[in-house]
Amino acid sequence: MKRFTFDDTEPFLAKLRELLATGTPVERIEVATPFPVHEALLLLKTPVSRLKFFTFTGALTGFCAGFALTIYSATSWPMSHGGKPIVSLPPFMIIAFELTILLGAVASLLGFLYLARVPAPKYILTSIEADGKFAIFVEEL
Amino acid sequence: MNRRDFFRILGASTGAAVATACDQKVASKLVSQLTTPRLLPGEAEFVRSTCRECSAGCGVLAKVRDGRPVKLEGDPDNPVNRGALCMRGQAGLSRLYHPNRLRAPQLRGTTGEFQTISWDEAFAILNGALGKNITGRRHIFLSERTTGSVSGFIEDFCQKRNIERRPELELYSHAALRQANALVFGRHALPVYDVKQADLLITFGADVIETFLNPVQFAQDLAATKLKWIHLEPHLSLTGVNADERLVVRAGSEAWLLAFLAGELGVTAAQAAEQTGLKLSRITELAERLKKAKNPLVIAGGVTTATENGLLAAVLSAVLQEKHHAPLTWADDDRVGSLADVVELEQQLADGKVSVAFFHNTDPVTYRPSFGAVLGKASFRVGFGDMLNPTLAGCDLVLPLSHALEEDGAVKPFGDTQSLAGILQKLGAEARPKQAPVIQPPGDVRKFLANIKPTPVRAGRTLVITPSIRTFDGRGECLPLLSEIPDPLTTVTYGPWVTISEQDAETLSLKDGGIVGFAVGGRSFNLPVRVMPAQPVGVFTVQRPFLNGASLPLTVTGEEISVWPLDAIAVPAVPAVALPFLSGGMHAEGRGIVPGLEHKHEHEHKAEHVNKTLYPPHEYKNYRWAMAIDLDRCTGCGACVAACYVENNIPLVGRDEHVAGREMSWLRIEPFVNDAGDFEMLPMMCQQCDNAPCEPVCPVNATYHNPEGLNAQVYNRCVGTRYCSNNCPYKVRRFNWIDHPVAQPLDLMFNPDVSKRPKGVMEKCTFCVHRIVRAKDHAKDEKRLVHDGEVTTACAQTCPAQAIVFGNILDEQSHVHQQAKSDRTYRVLEELGVEPAVYYLTSRSES
Amino acid sequence: MKKLLFAAVTGYFALAGLLVFGLHFHYGVFTKRLLQPIHFPHATHINKVGLACTKCHITVTNSPAASAPPLAVCMECHTKVKTESPEIKILTEHWTKQEPIEWSKIHQLPWHVRFTHKRHIAAGVDCTVCHGEVNTMTQVHQVRSLEMGWCVSCHRENNAPTDCWTCHK
Amino acid sequence: MKTEPVNNAAYYEQVEADVFAAMQKPRATYWLALAISLTCFGIGLACWGWQIFSGMHVSGKNNPVGWYMYITDFVFWVGIAHSGTLISAVLFLFRAKFRKAFNRSAEAMTVIAVMTAGLFPLIHLGRVWFFYWLMPYPNQRLLWVNFRSPLVWDVFAVSTYFTVSAVFFYIGLLPDLAIARRRITGIRQWFYRILSIGWRGTAKQWSHYEKLYGFLAAFATPLVISVHSVVSWDFAMSVIPGWHTTIFAPYFVAGAIFSGCAMVITLVVPMRKILGIEQYITVDHFESIAKLLLFTSMIVGYAYILEYAMAFYGGNVFETAHFMFRMLGDFRKPYWLMCFCNVLLPLTLFIRKLRRNLVYLFVLSLFVNVGMWLERFVIIVTSLAHDFDPYAWGNPNWSWVAIGITVGSFGMFFTFFLIFVKVLPVLSVTELKEERAHETLHI
């Protein structure tokens, strides 16, 4: 494993370009930066995040769960309230809406944790190489 | 752990400690009685008795559960009240369970403190005292108004033991009426007026639906007839606002008008107008109507007959009654004397002429403090009563009387008490047959009228002293329920107060609760005021019990004077007090609450006033409980309120909570006044709306619409968000802000069919659902539906005017259905679309 | 991975154990035996003598409460039967002294419940549905939770009313 | 367009040093502030304990006025929370640069304010020990909650809001926590080590991170509107005159942002001074917030006028009488004070000089805080005190317990905020670095 560290984006990107130009395949390069450097993501051809699938699944689950919970509980013991129908969809929509957002957000968070491989016990327990630097790691064969 | 979990744990740990305190105790024992009980468990039996919260003597039925009376209801078979009962009667039950009740004979020891002794000792002491040599002295026996066998026992006891039986003492003895009746009809007694046969009723000062003679009967008869009723009074009373016409006259001037109407004493219409302050045209019109009427009835009483001109007014009214052949029957109360007799007794005591003095359920010391000063001059004083009053507290030997209900075997007695008849029997008295009433030849009315001139009325501010609809002559002051229920017109709960007019309040710069100072009967009073619309200017009304401690001057007939000049009224520089009155406002024009033009419009333009809804209407299977309240009948007397309190275990919260606005009544009477000064009394309870706004806002399903149309409240599910109460347009929901501990043994009065509500829980009128459940249970046994009239609510049951009808509106034959269909019907705040199930009937929106 | 699996399995069983323990504790709350003044063997009376429940619980069919039988009912037989047994002697003593017997109440309903035996009997609900097989008990104890959900389930199954005010007061 | 190579390394170091210097050992003034806050918090807890023990009557409420200061506090704190989400999420979506100065403290404020607000529905319960009955969970009673009740919507809205804003706050913090892990040594390091969950900032991580941040912002934006709409529906869904009106939802949302902006100013003006981070939160930033304040103030003012217009134009006797009461009745003093604080005073922000005067802004923000509390108080109390039936009218009572709990809520809020400023970086170091990189390198 080869490691290059920099204090600024300029030399970091320069080195990255150089590495790619010299034919190092992107699969063997890993970079760590203190803030997102979009040029580096482009250079490394980082695929578009699959997080949206998690988000969509969560939100859809929340939406359905909201209606399911409200309609099930209203019909399981039908009680009349102020002349309103047992299944009163407008108020139930509010619950469905809130649950859409809640489960959407929670699923996004969980999806993120999974995709970004955090929490990473290894990096919690041991110190991280070149923490806070613009770093390039090249995996050696 | 997120925030919710944290509070779940916190809530659970603190809650566990608190929640345990909230649950009621459940009986943990199951008892095997010796033999099969007379009644099935949970069944009630009814015990007959007589109410003695005023001198009318209504018949009551006590509902007894497990040996404990839990509710009083009017006795339908009693001719006086025919099933109805007033507020005082409803509250009377708590006398049985009163914490202050005497439970054993008390003897004053050498130190001056009372000591408990046994009945045997008590009898020995009594016999000893009566057996002593009494040269120059007499034994006396003073009692309240007694009837029937008790009266016979007293008579026998007095004769056998050589005791002088004093005229019976009632503060409201109506002595002027008695004298007038003796003069005109030859009966020294009070009549029973039959207003049902009259077509015109003119009452002078007689508060016939509050305290006068038998108010329950008056209310029933007045509601049942269509006569025209004109009431004349110097102040503002509930009776006045219920009359068809209320005329305000100057205090003490009534005799002038009566003289003109009777054509006596040469009083002209102009003189009558000048004295009473009425318009001349009004007076001639009145005379005209009296002349035209077929069966007019003129009654003078109350504040009118307790003035300087009172006897004259009473005689003139009796003359008019005789002239118009008013059908009169006579009450059995010839033995009632007046306060003049008390003054005489006071003199005997002062002169040291009294040996053993007996006081039975009476309290002359409160009426005349000077009596208390000489009470000690009797050689031995014996009191009979249920609780200590100032007179009994001044006695040497106090014998606890049992409650009338305890004399029946069905009720477990409290403590070691005995009935008066029983006590007297042990002292050697025997039952006596009823004595025939004394009938004398009538006196010479002409001679009386020839020798009398009415006193002219003086100008200036006047204090009018009235009996209290709640505590009568003050005997109900010890019953907390009567202070909890508001005075009908002023809505003040915990007194004392003086009612003053808006103009007087302005001149004296007073607001509600501001203090006025005045002196009456040798004492000065600083009392808070309640400012009332429609109160006559210059008239200050105070209820008699608030003047306890004063010896009010007496009229010639020996009654306490009810009108007192108030020229020396002062506004002392003391801070105003927080007066607990429950009405937040008395003007409700245009709000659709009391009958008004808006309802007329609704009736005339029915099509425009249909409430549109997106939802299908409710479908009910067998029952839809509903109520109809006839405002033409309702007098606003508050009997229903008292019945509701007792029936539903509603807690009494006291003065401070009332000041804070936290009363608990499920049912209330709302007085509203319009610009013309006409009052409308509106009973208001949960309207059991079809589209109740309270229901959808409850987060925990504690309130919902039940299949029979009731707006149900499940107490132990309630978490106390108070959202339902906020959202109730009628504001009839009540929140338990605190736990309401009940003084022992008053808790035995609780209705076991209704739960006690813990703190933090919302409660409200249920249409007496426990009665409905019971009725349905009986009906189910017979495999039928509940009949109309089989179940009624506590309020409807007790209503003297029978203004409230309760029933199943789906049953087209039912009374409530008929009433609701009537074109006199309107519903309060109907335009909100909440579809209330309480229908109000009125003919007044037309005028 | 192995460790994870181990943890999961242990956790699962621990949770299940806790649940069982919790349920047992909950069950223990209402099945506890109470001390009674007389050791009354329901089993003997029902099985050996062949008495029906309503023979002694005389008000159960026509009133809200089943109520404990009056002593007169006991004494119908026990003036002759087994008079020498020490337990019956206690009964006889109560009878001769004319003192009611106070039993510990086993089946308690909370303060806010309106319950009537009469309606349940009329609807054909057997005593054992709520009280268990009393004929097998030498000492009666509670076997049903008598909690709201338990009542409601039965009401639902039998189309009995589930309006809250049926039972809540 | 690159002109010349720039070395930002020194700037990056400077930002980190400045922000983490603020997390150094606190000065005496900090301890004093914390002590005062904690005392208030303690008073609030004691008052709550007393209320649970003795009953709700100590809170001054009565028959018509079933809701009083607690619901006022609830709405107030939910409102305060809103600007945090607005600054961090809505302005993020709009790419408004000035948000970077405030977003961390505003997000912290959101989380803390929602926590504070979330307590009040519990405090106002008559039987708080059964508060869990408000949540839908399977139970032996076979009984659920009533989903038609706005209070149940509240339960869902507020807990969702808390969860989402806490997640949003944490995700924003994550790269900064990684910096803290590096810069802070000793035992405290472990705290940041665990909180930063092994964040390294690899290209993959950043790509997921940016997606997540965008999604959360997109979720938070409708959420923030729904939450205060739901809160407003607690009132608007009722039948009470003064509550039952359709403008409540937008009116409340605008009011929430208004009050939140004011609270941001109240918090950040002293904070930047005390922590010495003036160069990162500049007067320009404050001017932007002040403009937002002015804008929302005018919406609120418009809503105030509109309420009257609707009542009088509608001609409904109850509405008309109610608004006359609000203006001239027993609560006219708080009403007019509220109008002064929320409508008149913010109009001065049209003057640029005042907008850029931090002392003035600070004082103004205090007035707005008071004004917005009074707004909720007036809406709640006047509507309940005078509704349909004049007999039932009545005013609530003065209550030291309710005041104590209100003070306690401020104590709780400031205690948590003070802990926040010393424990977590009050500025988003990562975003500041990124912004610098964008400005200088045009990547």
Side-chain angles (χ1 to χ4, degrees), chain B residues 661-676:
Chain B
R662 292 191 275 258
E663 70 274 14
M664 295 301 290
S665 57
W666 289 3
L667 165 58
R668 59 183 189 238
I669 307 283
E670 301 182 348
F672 288 109
V673 65
N674 62 16
D675 291 336

Side-chain angles (χ1 to χ4, degrees), chain C residues 29-91:
Chain C
V29 166
F30 61 75
T31 53
K32 64 171 184 284
R33 307 317 203 240
L34 289 170
L35 220 62
Q36 298 288 13
I38 298 177
H39 182 79
F40 177 85
H42 271 86
T44 316
H45 286 80
I46 301 167
N47 297 340
K48 270 198 176 165
V49 191
L51 297 179
C53 306
T54 48
K55 168 69 179 120
C56 303
H57 296 288
I58 45 177
T59 60
V60 74
T61 52
N62 54 5
S63 91
S67 67
L71 295 188
V73 173
C74 310
M75 298 313 285
E76 278 175 28
C77 305
H78 283 294
T79 43
K80 302 179 196 90
V81 181
K82 275 222 166 181
T83 46
E84 287 313 299
S85 134
E87 298 289 326
I88 300 300
K89 274 185 176 163
I90 305 175
L91 172 70

Side-chain angles (χ1 to χ4, degrees), chain A residues 47-113:
Chain A
V48 177
S49 170
R50 282 172 293 140
L51 189 65
K52 57 190 169 198
F53 298 112
F54 288 89
T55 309
F56 180 73
T57 315
L60 192 67
T61 314
F63 185 78
C64 297
F67 277 113
L69 173 67
T70 47
I71 293 172
Y72 166 73
S73 65
T75 48
S76 82
W77 195 325
M79 271 187 230
S80 168
H81 289 100
K84 294 181 172 47
I86 301 297
V87 176
S88 317
L89 290 178
F92 294 177
M93 195 143 78
I94 293 165
I95 307 297
F97 175 84
E98 300 296 342
L99 281 184
T100 307
I101 288 184
L102 180 68
L103 293 197
V106 170
S108 304
L109 175 71
L110 295 176
F112 163 76
L113 295 179

Side-chain angles (χ1 to χ4, degrees), chain D residues 9-62:
Chain D
Y11 175 78
Y12 297 156
E13 176 54 32
Q14 184 61 42
V15 178
E16 282 188 14
D18 284 344
V19 172
F20 283 89
M23 287 166 66
Q24 292 308 310
K25 214 168 181 209
R27 279 180 281 174
T29 43
Y30 176 88
W31 289 119
L32 183 69
L34 190 66
I36 293 170
S37 302
L38 272 173
T39 313
C40 292
F41 190 19
I43 289 171
L45 285 178
C47 286
W48 189 13
W50 171 241
Q51 178 181 291
I52 292 171
F53 176 75
S54 65
M56 284 306 284
H57 76 314
V58 297
S59 68
K61 295 187 244 333
N62 61 13

